[in-house]
Amino acid sequence: MTESSDIPRKQPSAFPGIKPIAIASDHAGFALKEALKLALGRWGVAFEDLGTHDEKSTDYPDYAHRVASGVADGRYRFGVLVCGTGYGMCMTANRHRGVRAATCTESFGARATRSHNDANVLCLGSRITGPGVAEDVLKTFLDTAFEGGRHANRVTKIEP
Ligand code: RB5
């Protein structure tokens, strides 16, 4: 793959007026990303795939920065990042002001990080979490609202 073919592919949203979510992976997360895209399509959730587009070795921070900057500037409602563990993606995404990324391995954590932390980026590890559980985690993340209340003040304290 050449450098130019790796430019994020922007597809027209099938849901005009509704902010899409951004999804991306490195090579290790590619297969799981593709599976999650099928699930998003089934659920009718608009998304943009910001790469990678094959299993050629690549660097996870490049994709985490793409997704996180789009969430931080309001282009995307949520981000989904998949690498081997979900950890490198999460560390990178959380360097962006306004991004609250969490690596989740099961739906209890996904529900908690949305309702208590107002997480806006979900990170998944393809070498830890299989496709069935990952799909369940993603569905829970998307379906859970931030509770606000006592959690709102705490979330504002996250930024240094
Ligand atoms: C790639 O081998 C792997 O290091 C990456 O996908 C990720 O797990 C890093 O956190």
Side-chain angles (χ1 to χ4, degrees), residues 100 116-117 146-159:
R100 291 175 298 280
H116 287 203
N117 314 127
F146 176 48
E147 274 180 29
R150 70 187 188 281
H151 300 294
N153 187 44
R154 295 167 186 167
V155 168
T156 63
K157 289 184 171 182
I158 291 175
E159 297 288 353

mmCIF file of all heavy atoms in Angstrom, residues 100 116-117 146-159:
data_model
loop_
_atom_site.group_PDB
_atom_site.id
_atom_site.type_symbol
_atom_site.label_atom_id
_atom_site.label_comp_id
_atom_site.label_asym_id
_atom_site.label_seq_id
_atom_site.Cartn_x
_atom_site.Cartn_y
_atom_site.Cartn_z
ATOM 1 N N ARG A 100 -11.952 11.139 25.848
ATOM 2 C CA ARG A 100 -11.938 10.223 26.998
ATOM 3 C C ARG A 100 -12.062 8.809 26.435
ATOM 4 O O ARG A 100 -13.161 8.346 26.116
ATOM 5 C CB ARG A 100 -13.080 10.560 27.967
ATOM 6 C CG ARG A 100 -12.889 11.891 28.694
ATOM 7 C CD ARG A 100 -14.075 12.265 29.553
ATOM 8 N NE ARG A 100 -15.273 12.440 28.740
ATOM 9 C CZ ARG A 100 -15.556 13.535 28.034
ATOM 10 N NH1 ARG A 100 -14.713 14.562 28.026
ATOM 11 N NH2 ARG A 100 -16.639 13.615 27.301
ATOM 12 N N HIS A 116 -20.506 6.734 33.652
ATOM 13 C CA HIS A 116 -19.787 7.479 34.695
ATOM 14 C C HIS A 116 -18.722 8.420 34.138
ATOM 15 O O HIS A 116 -18.502 9.488 34.701
ATOM 16 C CB HIS A 116 -19.112 6.509 35.664
ATOM 17 C CG HIS A 116 -20.077 5.809 36.577
ATOM 18 N ND1 HIS A 116 -19.713 5.271 37.786
ATOM 19 C CD2 HIS A 116 -21.403 5.551 36.444
ATOM 20 C CE1 HIS A 116 -20.771 4.709 38.378
ATOM 21 N NE2 HIS A 116 -21.805 4.859 37.570
ATOM 22 N N ASN A 117 -18.009 7.991 33.089
ATOM 23 C CA ASN A 117 -16.871 8.788 32.592
ATOM 24 C C ASN A 117 -17.188 9.553 31.315
ATOM 25 O O ASN A 117 -16.337 10.258 30.798
ATOM 26 C CB ASN A 117 -15.652 7.891 32.310
ATOM 27 C CG ASN A 117 -15.351 6.911 33.411
ATOM 28 O OD1 ASN A 117 -15.229 5.701 33.173
ATOM 29 N ND2 ASN A 117 -15.213 7.405 34.618
ATOM 30 N N PHE A 146 -24.539 8.975 29.182
ATOM 31 C CA PHE A 146 -23.825 9.524 30.336
ATOM 32 C C PHE A 146 -24.863 9.902 31.396
ATOM 33 O O PHE A 146 -25.866 10.532 31.089
ATOM 34 C CB PHE A 146 -23.014 10.744 29.900
ATOM 35 C CG PHE A 146 -22.301 11.451 31.014
ATOM 36 C CD1 PHE A 146 -21.536 10.748 31.944
ATOM 37 C CD2 PHE A 146 -22.381 12.831 31.135
ATOM 38 C CE1 PHE A 146 -20.871 11.407 32.968
ATOM 39 C CE2 PHE A 146 -21.715 13.501 32.157
ATOM 40 C CZ PHE A 146 -20.956 12.789 33.080
ATOM 41 N N GLU A 147 -24.613 9.504 32.627
ATOM 42 C CA GLU A 147 -25.572 9.781 33.710
ATOM 43 C C GLU A 147 -25.573 11.219 34.165
ATOM 44 O O GLU A 147 -26.546 11.701 34.750
ATOM 45 C CB GLU A 147 -25.246 8.905 34.938
ATOM 46 C CG GLU A 147 -25.870 7.534 34.895
ATOM 47 C CD GLU A 147 -25.500 6.728 36.143
ATOM 48 O OE1 GLU A 147 -25.273 7.313 37.226
ATOM 49 O OE2 GLU A 147 -25.415 5.495 36.010
ATOM 50 N N GLY A 148 -24.473 11.946 33.961
ATOM 51 C CA GLY A 148 -24.375 13.323 34.450
ATOM 52 C C GLY A 148 -24.418 13.341 35.970
ATOM 53 O O GLY A 148 -23.844 12.472 36.626
ATOM 54 N N GLY A 149 -25.127 14.335 36.545
ATOM 55 C CA GLY A 149 -25.243 14.413 37.999
ATOM 56 C C GLY A 149 -23.879 14.491 38.660
ATOM 57 O O GLY A 149 -23.024 15.272 38.256
ATOM 58 N N ARG A 150 -23.656 13.657 39.669
ATOM 59 C CA ARG A 150 -22.395 13.718 40.424
ATOM 60 C C ARG A 150 -21.188 13.403 39.551
ATOM 61 O O ARG A 150 -20.061 13.791 39.874
ATOM 62 C CB ARG A 150 -22.454 12.759 41.618
ATOM 63 C CG ARG A 150 -22.429 11.285 41.259
ATOM 64 C CD ARG A 150 -22.673 10.401 42.467
ATOM 65 N NE ARG A 150 -22.467 8.996 42.192
ATOM 66 C CZ ARG A 150 -23.363 8.212 41.571
ATOM 67 N NH1 ARG A 150 -24.510 8.718 41.139
ATOM 68 N NH2 ARG A 150 -23.102 6.925 41.371
ATOM 69 N N HIS A 151 -21.442 12.707 38.426
ATOM 70 C CA HIS A 151 -20.310 12.337 37.557
ATOM 71 C C HIS A 151 -19.842 13.503 36.690
ATOM 72 O O HIS A 151 -18.697 13.521 36.248
ATOM 73 C CB HIS A 151 -20.705 11.169 36.651
ATOM 74 C CG HIS A 151 -21.109 9.954 37.427
ATOM 75 N ND1 HIS A 151 -20.223 9.259 38.215
ATOM 76 C CD2 HIS A 151 -22.302 9.345 37.566
ATOM 77 C CE1 HIS A 151 -20.855 8.253 38.801
ATOM 78 N NE2 HIS A 151 -22.124 8.285 38.423
ATOM 79 N N ALA A 152 -20.728 14.471 36.453
ATOM 80 C CA ALA A 152 -20.388 15.565 35.534
ATOM 81 C C ALA A 152 -19.214 16.382 36.072
ATOM 82 O O ALA A 152 -18.259 16.683 35.342
ATOM 83 C CB ALA A 152 -21.610 16.439 35.298
ATOM 84 N N ASN A 153 -19.268 16.730 37.338
ATOM 85 C CA ASN A 153 -18.192 17.526 37.934
ATOM 86 C C ASN A 153 -16.865 16.763 37.899
ATOM 87 O O ASN A 153 -15.803 17.326 37.633
ATOM 88 C CB ASN A 153 -18.566 17.895 39.374
ATOM 89 C CG ASN A 153 -17.578 18.848 39.986
ATOM 90 O OD1 ASN A 153 -17.163 19.808 39.324
ATOM 91 N ND2 ASN A 153 -17.187 18.603 41.226
ATOM 92 N N ARG A 154 -16.951 15.455 38.139
ATOM 93 C CA ARG A 154 -15.729 14.633 38.137
ATOM 94 C C ARG A 154 -15.112 14.588 36.741
ATOM 95 O O ARG A 154 -13.896 14.655 36.584
ATOM 96 C CB ARG A 154 -16.052 13.213 38.617
ATOM 97 C CG ARG A 154 -16.509 13.197 40.071
ATOM 98 C CD ARG A 154 -17.123 11.875 40.480
ATOM 99 N NE ARG A 154 -17.673 11.950 41.822
ATOM 100 C CZ ARG A 154 -18.481 11.059 42.349
ATOM 101 N NH1 ARG A 154 -18.841 9.985 41.658
ATOM 102 N NH2 ARG A 154 -18.935 11.214 43.574
ATOM 103 N N VAL A 155 -15.980 14.487 35.744
ATOM 104 C CA VAL A 155 -15.469 14.420 34.368
ATOM 105 C C VAL A 155 -14.776 15.731 33.996
ATOM 106 O O VAL A 155 -13.735 15.723 33.336
ATOM 107 C CB VAL A 155 -16.608 14.068 33.381
ATOM 108 C CG1 VAL A 155 -16.173 14.288 31.944
ATOM 109 C CG2 VAL A 155 -17.033 12.608 33.573
ATOM 110 N N THR A 156 -15.329 16.864 34.470
ATOM 111 C CA THR A 156 -14.668 18.140 34.141
ATOM 112 C C THR A 156 -13.301 18.228 34.806
ATOM 113 O O THR A 156 -12.440 18.970 34.346
ATOM 114 C CB THR A 156 -15.510 19.374 34.574
ATOM 115 O OG1 THR A 156 -15.652 19.361 35.987
ATOM 116 C CG2 THR A 156 -16.876 19.377 33.904
ATOM 117 N N LYS A 157 -13.076 17.472 35.862
ATOM 118 C CA LYS A 157 -11.780 17.497 36.551
ATOM 119 C C LYS A 157 -10.710 16.619 35.883
ATOM 120 O O LYS A 157 -9.553 16.610 36.311
ATOM 121 C CB LYS A 157 -11.941 17.045 38.007
ATOM 122 C CG LYS A 157 -12.674 18.044 38.892
ATOM 123 C CD LYS A 157 -12.679 17.523 40.330
ATOM 124 C CE LYS A 157 -13.207 18.587 41.285
ATOM 125 N NZ LYS A 157 -13.156 18.100 42.689
ATOM 126 N N ILE A 158 -11.121 15.876 34.855
ATOM 127 C CA ILE A 158 -10.154 14.982 34.208
ATOM 128 C C ILE A 158 -9.056 15.769 33.489
ATOM 129 O O ILE A 158 -7.874 15.453 33.598
ATOM 130 C CB ILE A 158 -10.863 14.027 33.222
ATOM 131 C CG1 ILE A 158 -11.722 13.017 33.984
ATOM 132 C CG2 ILE A 158 -9.842 13.291 32.355
ATOM 133 C CD1 ILE A 158 -12.568 12.101 33.101
ATOM 134 N N GLU A 159 -9.470 16.827 32.778
ATOM 135 C CA GLU A 159 -8.476 17.602 32.035
ATOM 136 C C GLU A 159 -7.542 18.292 33.017
ATOM 137 O O GLU A 159 -8.007 18.917 33.978
ATOM 138 C CB GLU A 159 -9.166 18.675 31.162
ATOM 139 C CG GLU A 159 -10.077 18.121 30.074
ATOM 140 C CD GLU A 159 -9.326 17.477 28.912
ATOM 141 O OE1 GLU A 159 -8.083 17.552 28.857
ATOM 142 O OE2 GLU A 159 -10.014 16.872 28.061
#
